Amino acid sequence: VDVTDPEAPALLGEHRLVSLFQGLGVTVRVRGAQAFLLGDLGLDMVDVSDPAFPYRAGGIAPSVRPLAGLYPDLERAGDAALLATRAAGLEAVDLSFPPLPLLLTTYQETSAPGSRAVSVVKQGVSAHVALDRAGIRTLGVDGDGDGILTVADVCPDEPDPAQADGDFDGVG
């Protein structure tokens, strides 16, 4: 939406979740020309470089993980995302190749019997996860503080946001 004139906002383009459950879209995050549209049953990575023609570049469709996630919130961290899930607690997902997101890990300590993760915020080296019936859980997710999740960091003990890997051996 173009809000240059607040009295007359104009629709520039539109994207709808792949899910048939259109009404369950719960949050959006934008980084550069990518918007991350999170719905209860899926995640769409949308290219918004041309606002008039946004298109789905990838994501997690409900057919891939039916009812496994139920995603109420996400937080970006480098090429990955932390997804609060109502079923499994906090998940880390690699989003570097949008057509095929890769589950990196599930932080089991962010799940509690009878409680569901409903929100996540990454601050510095930690992630804070709100659980609907168990308060908040805090855990370390970025050991060296470079903005890259430890589970996806090629040099987890040395701050290197560029993830330099000169010899391409997977280690910084």
Side-chain angles (χ1 to χ4, degrees), residues 84-102:
T85 74
R86 292 188 179 129
L90 188 67
E91 294 181 346
V93 178
D94 182 347
L95 302 175
S96 60
F97 184 59
L100 205 59
L102 175 66

Side-chain angles (χ1 to χ4, degrees), residues 21-47:
F21 299 91
Q22 298 294 332
L24 297 180
V26 292
T27 193
V28 66
R29 300 284 190 272
V30 178
R31 174 182 275 178
Q34 280 190 321
F36 302 87
L37 179 61
L38 187 69
D40 259 349
L41 299 176
L43 168 68
D44 277 3
M45 298 167 66
V46 181
D47 184 304

